[in-house]
Amino acid sequence: MAQIASEVERRLANLGFVLPTPAAPVANYVPSVRSGALLFVSGQLPFGPDGSLSEGHIGRVGAEVEEGVAKQAAALCAVNVLAQVRAQIGDLDRIAACVRLGGFIRGAEDYTRLALVMNGASDLIGAALGEKGAHARSTIGVAQLPLGACVEVEAIFEILP
């Protein structure tokens, strides 16, 4: 078994997650951009460890996708966000803070519990980063997401030198 490189990755492993190979962009953008001490991570879909989007994560929350499944999908998006961070900076222990998470929830027309779905991502970031995981957040309901996904999560981190 390979040695886990960072405390953050050890915490993730204790939660049952291993960081995947970061997903390639699905359109014309880059996965992350660093500006000074800030790292902006493009929206991540709930791709599984094999790089595929589960059929259970396709559709509208409150219609084709149950709320609890969507919350798990949001956590998976957050894992994929951290995979992009690791690809950019190497050691996740260099994260000084999660500054902001942004969540996009594809919900049924009458679905209003968006914040509860996004808690999946917030809870995962908090568990992985501890106090450094406290963040500002926006959660927005949308009509469509790339590949028909039920949730997408983007993030901004402060990175130590």
Side-chain angles (χ1 to χ4, degrees):
M1 185 169 155
Q3 184 176 2
I4 297 176
S6 72
E7 179 60 31
V8 173
E9 288 183 71
R10 279 191 285 282
R11 289 178 181 168
L12 286 169
N14 288 339
L15 295 169
F17 293 101
V18 175
L19 290 180
T21 300
V26 298
N28 186 15
Y29 61 91
V30 294
S32 64
V33 172
R34 180 119 184 230
S35 180
L38 296 179
L39 179 64
F40 297 79
V41 180
S42 296
Q44 299 297 302
L45 299 177
F47 291 124
D50 64 354
S52 69
L53 184 61
S54 163
E55 289 209 15
H57 295 155
I58 296 173
R60 297 167 298 148
V61 183
E64 300 86 11
V65 180
E66 293 180 11
E67 185 176 281
V69 171
K71 186 175 180 179
Q72 293 169 349
L76 194 51
C77 291
V79 169
N80 290 324
V81 162
L82 291 173
Q84 295 292 354
V85 174
R86 183 181 65 184
Q88 179 70 252
I89 68 168
D91 182 357
L92 292 178
D93 290 341
R94 290 182 51 214
I95 295 172
C98 178
V99 177
R100 179 185 178 278
L101 291 181
F104 305 93
I105 314 301
R106 182 178 173 215
E109 187 175 315
D110 62 346
Y111 184 75
T112 61
R113 296 166 51 94
L114 306 169
L116 297 176
V117 171
M118 188 57 186
N119 281 347
S122 291
D123 293 347
L124 185 283
I125 292 295
L129 300 180
E131 291 179 6
K132 297 176 184 180
H135 55 272
R137 184 177 97 177
S138 295
T139 304
I140 301 165
V142 298
Q144 295 294 333
L145 285 171
L147 307 177
C150 63
V151 64
E152 180 177 355
V153 175
E154 63 183 13
I156 302 171
F157 294 92
E158 180 184 2
I159 307 299
L160 297 170

